[in-house]
């Protein structure tokens, strides 16, 4: 471990789960539904240079934009705090995710079935990073309901990737999504040890 | 352990970011690399030092009076996350603040990872 000059008191820990998804899919709503604090906002700076591949890099002049990120907090025990980070789902913010997902337990990708394509980037990204993720279908009122299996197929998800339906506004529903991704992360860690034992 | 890529590239090129990173003399990294969820607390030295004339650092150190995460400090100080992480990293190195809780890193062992995930799961089920 590299805590440098100071080591934390034994046992105390903090951890995080990332909440991702396209514009307006309900990231902030979900974070706010379970957080013990009103979601706070912090900013990261993006230059078109770091933004890399897409449209922004066509801009002749360098410029910076700030990307807002919401986060919430859940105190799970005297010695354990969970943070939730709602990150923008656009490809050009990937460089920022690299930093945010480091050490995360996993990610919840929220999808709106009317705009499933907005989840492609996040799915690709978390797969590439091997971060355990689940897909949570936010069932907006009046939105056509899609069976989970249709969403799995549309997103070309592996069979074991959990796909659940949620109401991002509902605390228990949001909590269920966090529990599911944590369970899945645990399954993944456990299966790694099993497969490692085979070698 | 998952074979995460450890990307040591600088996250934010300094070229386009003059003003906020002026506080860090243009550095986008500190030798102590703090995750956003790291919980920071003041040390005696940070508490006793006179931060007058270093208002940004003073605000940051003050925000650590009650154990607080890097992300919350960034929100409280109204400074971008990247800037706060560099400044806090320096403050850790100088002994004015310290990390008050373990976090998962790419280097965490599978046992540590599993233990923390299990504790999180128990906590989530109980709330
Ligand atoms: N009816 C309904 N509205 C929802 C639901 N979830 C979110 N909303 C609304 O949808 C809008 C967008 O939700 P946000 O939580 O702000 O979405 P976001 O993903 O944080 O959006 P950006 O950060 O702008 O990308 C808000 O007006 C919410 O009130 C839901 O389950 N049902
Ligand atoms: Mg939002």
């Amino acid at each position: 471990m590299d805590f440098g000059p100071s080591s934390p008191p034994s046992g105390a820990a903090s951890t995080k789960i990332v909440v991702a998804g396209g514009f307006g899919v309900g990231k902030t709503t979900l974070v706010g539904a379970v957080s013990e604090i009103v979601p706070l906002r912090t900013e990261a700076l993006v230059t078109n240079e770091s933004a890399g591949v897409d449209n922004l890099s066509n801009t002749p002049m360098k410029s910076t934009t700030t990307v807002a990120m919401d986060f919430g907090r859940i105190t799970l025990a005297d010695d354990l705090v969970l943070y939730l980070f709602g990150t923008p789902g656009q490809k050009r913010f990937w460089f920022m995710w690299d930093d945010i997902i480091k050490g995360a337990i996993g990610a919840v990708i929220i999808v709106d079935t009317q705009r499933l394509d907005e989840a492609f980037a996040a799915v690709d990204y978390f797969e590439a990073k091997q971060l355990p993720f689940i897909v949570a279908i936010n069932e907006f009122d009046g939105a056509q309901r899609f069976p989970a299996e249709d969403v799995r197929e549309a997103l070309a998800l592996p069979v074991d990737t959990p796909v659940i339906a949620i109401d991002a506004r509902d605390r228990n529903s949001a909590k269920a999504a966090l529990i599911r991704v944590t369970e899945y992360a645990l399954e993944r860690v456990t299966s790694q040890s099993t497969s490692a034992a085979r070698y | 352990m998952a074979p995460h890529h450890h990307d040591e590239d600088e996250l934010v090129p300094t070229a386009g970011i003059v003003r906020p990173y002026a506080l860090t003399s243009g550095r986008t990294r500190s030798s102590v690399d703090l995750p956003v969820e790291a919980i920071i607390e003041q040390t005696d030295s940070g508490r006793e030092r006179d931060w007058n004339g270093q208002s940004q650092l003073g605000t940051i150190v003050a925000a650590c009076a009650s154990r607080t995460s890097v992300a919350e400090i960034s929100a409280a100080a109204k400074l971008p996350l990247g800037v706060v992480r560099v400044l806090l990293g320096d403050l850790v190195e100088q002994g004015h603040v310290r990390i008050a809780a373990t976090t998962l890193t790419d280097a965490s062992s599978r046992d540590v990872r599993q233990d923390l995930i299990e504790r999180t799961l128990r906590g989530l089920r109980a709330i």
Side-chain angles (χ1 to χ4, degrees), chain A residues 6 8-9 11-14 16 42-43 50 62 64 69 71 73 79 83 85 95 99 103 129-130 175 183 193, chain B residues 3-4 11 13 15-17 36-37 69 71-72 74 80-81 85 98-104 110 119 124-125 127:
Chain A
S6 58
S14 59
K16 67 188 161 190
T42 182
E43 284 181 342
S50 61
K62 278 180 186 166
T64 52
M69 186 175 63
F71 67 95
R73 182 183 73 206
D79 58 358
Y83 287 91
F85 287 94
F95 87 97
D99 202 35
K129 295 289 173 178
Q130 303 194 17
K175 203 179 104 178
E183 285 171 344
S193 66
Chain B
H4 281 295
L11 291 168
I17 308 173
V36 289
E37 74 278 19
S69 67
E72 285 164 294
S74 159
L81 211 40
R85 291 172 71 214
R98 65 175 159 243
I99 299 164
T102 305
T103 54
L104 291 176
R110 201 191 50 77
R119 283 168 64 190
L124 281 170
R125 284 176 173 151
I127 59 164

Side-chain angles (χ1 to χ4, degrees), chain A residues 36 73-82, chain B residues 123 127:
Chain A
E36 68 200 17
R73 182 183 73 206
I74 310 175
T75 303
L76 294 177
D78 287 348
D79 58 358
L80 182 61
V81 184
L82 172 65
Chain B
I127 59 164

Side-chain angles (χ1 to χ4, degrees), chain B residues 33 42 46 48 51 53 77 81 103 121 125 127:
Chain B
D33 192 14
Q42 287 177 344
E48 284 154 19
W51 294 100
L81 211 40
T103 54
L121 192 52
R125 284 176 173 151
I127 59 164

Side-chain angles (χ1 to χ4, degrees), chain B residues 92-107:
Chain B
V92 169
E93 206 170 23
Q94 293 154 11
H96 299 312
V97 302
R98 65 175 159 243
I99 299 164
T102 305
T103 54
L104 291 176
T105 71
D106 289 352

